Amino acid sequence: MLVVRPAAPADLDHLLELAILSGPGFTSLPEDPDQLADRLEVSRDSFSGKLAPEERWYTLMLEESETGDVDGIGSVKAAVGLHRPFFSFRVVTNTQSSPSLGIKLEQKTLVLVNECTGWTEVGSLFLKADRRKGGAGRLLSQSRYMLIGAQPELFNENVLAELRGVFTPDGACPFWDHVAHKFFPMEFDEADRMTGSTDKQFIVDLAPRHPIYIDLLPEPARAVIGKVHPQGVPAMALLESEGFRPNGLIDIFDAGPTVACGRDNIRTVRDARRLTVAVSSEVEAELPALISTDSVTAFRAVRQRAHIEGDVATLNAETADALRVRPGDTVRVKA
């Protein structure tokens, strides 16, 4: 059975493997054991409540319960931009006209902004290639919203996600090569590493202070602005199905889009019901349901069959064991 559970420091080898598989541009999964170990400690302290709510960064692992294999990762960062700026480019449309000539022009520009301070971020969604079918990605993605819905007060009323921008098969990034690199004269991987491991002062020091006219950029850079990496297309579809939409912001390094949705308008947060657990040897249900615990501290999630009648969800013993719940406990269910 596939179970989504909190990450722990013992998951370092699993997390490093996923980071290597994720490839370039996946800022939240650097191929750095020290950074990943720190992240796992933050996740442990987030789930245990040792950190202040706004400091928490919850990391979730997708595990096959029978084998112990970890095949995917997702995360929820309670608040971005509180200690380090959360920079983006906003795509701004400027209109200019000359009535005497009968000419009206619309020029799009990129403007450096820091607009999302305090927002919650869902991210780090990545699965091994052989797990990208059969609903594993949807389970992992939706588990993040079940976590938010368990205790909404721990999260901001605005939720965002950043999608990785376009890279060529040989690992080149057109937007970086033609635009960002002009301001940050270093390798993409170095800028990516510094974004996750420093206070981002280098961005404050070096980023463009004036609008960049998109029409003046080389065509390869223009073509990828706001576009998603091919591996991110399924993730984008999952986000859109939950109600996320582009908000006009793009990443300053790879031009990948940012999407956003109100916390309480996220479909899974809104539609999941709190139900009381009953356990039976046989469960009659046509389709599996998304089921999670009703606690951030003890969070676990699965997609299994549940018979729902009134305010009671009847689970089989295997599902109850996977969630570590007993009869009379409360779970959240989205049919």
Side-chain angles (χ1 to χ4, degrees):
M1 182 187 302
L2 292 177
V3 181
V4 178
R5 58 159 179 83
D11 287 310
L12 180 58
D13 288 344
H14 297 305
L15 191 56
L16 182 57
E17 179 188 11
L18 292 169
I20 293 170
L21 291 174
S22 68
F26 216 106
T27 305
S28 61
L29 282 179
E31 297 179 27
D32 185 322
D34 291 336
Q35 284 191 54
L36 295 177
D38 290 343
R39 174 172 176 174
L40 290 172
E41 291 180 2
V42 169
S43 182
R44 176 199 60 201
D45 293 345
S46 297
F47 279 104
S48 67
K50 291 183 179 179
L51 297 178
E54 66 275 9
E55 303 284 344
R56 298 176 188 175
W57 188 6
Y58 306 90
T59 299
L60 298 167
M61 310 301 275
L62 178 71
E63 180 180 275
E64 170 53 62
S65 60
E66 293 182 4
T67 64
D69 292 340
V70 173
D71 295 329
I73 178 178
S75 75
V76 181
K77 186 175 290 188
V80 300
L82 296 183
H83 300 295
R84 298 185 297 176
F86 188 83
F87 288 116
S88 306
F89 280 133
R90 173 165 289 286
V91 181
V92 177
T93 300
N94 303 291
T95 301
Q96 294 174 287
S97 63
S98 173
S100 62
L101 297 178
I103 295 175
K104 182 178 180 180
L105 299 174
E106 287 191 347
Q107 298 281 0
K108 290 186 176 181
T109 61
L110 301 178
V111 179
L112 187 71
V113 297
N114 178 23
E115 296 183 0
C116 300
T117 300
W119 289 27
T120 291
E121 180 184 19
V122 291
S124 302
L125 187 67
F126 181 78
L127 291 94
K128 293 180 180 177
D130 58 357
R131 275 294 183 197
R132 293 174 190 164
K133 295 181 180 180
R138 182 173 293 274
L139 166 62
L140 185 55
S141 176
Q142 289 183 305
S143 294
R144 300 174 302 177
Y145 313 128
M146 296 294 270
L147 177 71
I148 292 172
Q151 291 181 260
E153 68 279 3
L154 296 178
F155 304 94
N156 193 271
E157 61 184 13
N158 295 304
V159 182
L160 66 86
E162 288 189 302
L163 281 300
R164 180 164 37 163
V166 173
F167 286 73
T168 62
D170 62 359
C173 177
F175 188 82
W176 172 265
D177 291 341
H178 293 288
V179 184
H181 186 253
K182 309 298 183 184
F183 300 96
F184 304 100
M186 60 188 74
E187 295 297 321
F188 179 93
D189 289 345
E190 176 67 7
D192 198 39
R193 182 195 65 78
M194 291 176 64
T195 297
S197 63
T198 72
D199 61 3
K200 300 186 183 179
Q201 182 62 40
F202 79 103
I203 297 178
V204 176
D205 295 338
L206 300 176
R209 289 166 170 74
H210 303 287
I212 299 172
Y213 281 79
I214 292 177
D215 282 346
L216 299 181
L217 299 178
E219 193 281 333
R222 296 199 308 270
V224 299
I225 292 174
K227 299 297 193 300
V228 180
H229 190 289
Q231 289 185 2
V233 172
M236 182 66 157
L238 289 171
L239 286 160
E240 290 177 336
S241 72
E242 292 289 338
F244 285 81
R245 295 293 182 269
N247 66 351
L249 301 178
I250 64 167
D251 185 82
I252 66 171
F253 291 158
D254 64 24
T258 297
V259 295
C261 186
R263 178 195 62 202
D264 300 333
N265 292 326
I266 298 172
R267 185 165 285 110
T268 296
V269 174
R270 184 188 66 212
D271 294 350
R273 299 173 56 198
R274 284 184 167 85
L275 302 174
T276 301
V277 173
V279 178
S280 174
S281 57
E282 296 184 6
V283 173
E284 295 183 3
E286 292 185 6
L287 297 171
L290 179 64
I291 313 167
S292 80
T293 57
D294 190 38
S295 164
V296 166
T297 302
F299 185 80
R300 296 175 76 83
V302 298
R303 189 179 299 280
Q304 293 293 320
R305 297 185 187 276
H307 177 72
I308 300 171
E309 186 172 350
D311 292 330
V312 176
T314 301
L315 317 177
N316 64 30
E318 184 183 11
T319 300
D321 288 345
L323 292 170
R324 298 180 181 174
V325 295
R326 299 177 179 180
D329 287 346
T330 301
V331 291
R332 300 183 72 248
V333 180
K334 182 180 184 296

